[in-house]
Amino acid sequence: QVQLVQSGGGSVQAGGSLRLSCAASGRTLSAMGWFRQAPGKEREIVASISRSGDSTYYTDSVKGRFTISRDNAKSTVYLQMNSLKPEDTAVYYCAATSRFAGAKTMSNHYDYWGQGTQVTVSS
C-alpha cells in the first residue's frame, strides 16, 4: 500500500518562502507532482517531475518562483516556494504515479495522493 506523507507548509507573509516535502512509502513510484486547491476553485497542477528528475513542469503562475525536486534514495519530492504571493494560498497536495515516468500535469495521471497541507500567504 502506497502512502504519501506531506510536511511543511504554514503561514507566511507575501515575499516569504516555504518548503513542502512529501515522503513516499510502499512501492517504487515514477512521476510525482504537486497540486493545489484554493477555496471555491478546482484543483490545479503546480509542478511535476519525471521519475529521473531530469524533466519538470511548472504552471505559468509559479515559474521562476517555485522549484520541484526529488531525492529518489529517500523517495521524497520537494516543493521550494519563494516570493510567495497571496494568490498562492491554497491546500497543497503531492501526488504520485507508478504508471508514467514523465512529468504529468493531469490529476487523473496520478494514483496516490498526500493528505494535503495548508499554505497561507498574507499581504
Side-chain angles (χ1 to χ4, degrees):
Q1 184 177 0
V2 175
Q3 281 192 317
L4 301 181
V5 179
Q6 297 179 219
S7 60
S11 297
V12 67
Q13 289 191 328
S17 298
L18 288 171
R19 189 194 199 203
L20 305 181
S21 300
C22 174
S25 64
R27 66 177 298 175
T28 300
L29 297 170
S30 294
M32 299 186 77
W34 289 96
F35 288 74
R36 67 186 178 187
Q37 188 167 18
K41 295 186 177 181
E42 294 187 353
R43 188 174 297 188
E44 64 171 352
I45 181 72
V46 176
S48 61
I49 189 166
S50 62
R51 179 174 58 193
S52 65
D54 61 359
S55 178
T56 57
Y57 167 88
Y58 296 94
T59 194
D60 285 346
S61 61
V62 308
K63 284 180 181 177
R65 301 188 297 122
F66 290 13
T67 303
I68 189 171
S69 61
R70 66 190 293 167
D71 183 339
N72 287 339
K74 296 181 179 180
S75 299
T76 301
V77 64
Y78 306 95
L79 186 68
Q80 178 66 43
M81 304 183 291
N82 298 329
S83 302
L84 282 160
K85 303 176 180 181
E87 50 263 43
D88 294 318
T89 295
V91 177
Y92 284 70
Y93 298 89
C94 70
T97 177
S98 56
R99 294 180 287 142
F100 304 103
K104 295 298 182 183
T105 62
M106 305 293 290
S107 59
N108 60 11
H109 287 145
Y110 293 91
D111 307 304
Y112 311 105
W113 293 85
Q115 79 274 22
T117 186
Q118 178 70 45
V119 170
T120 302
V121 185
S122 58
S123 57

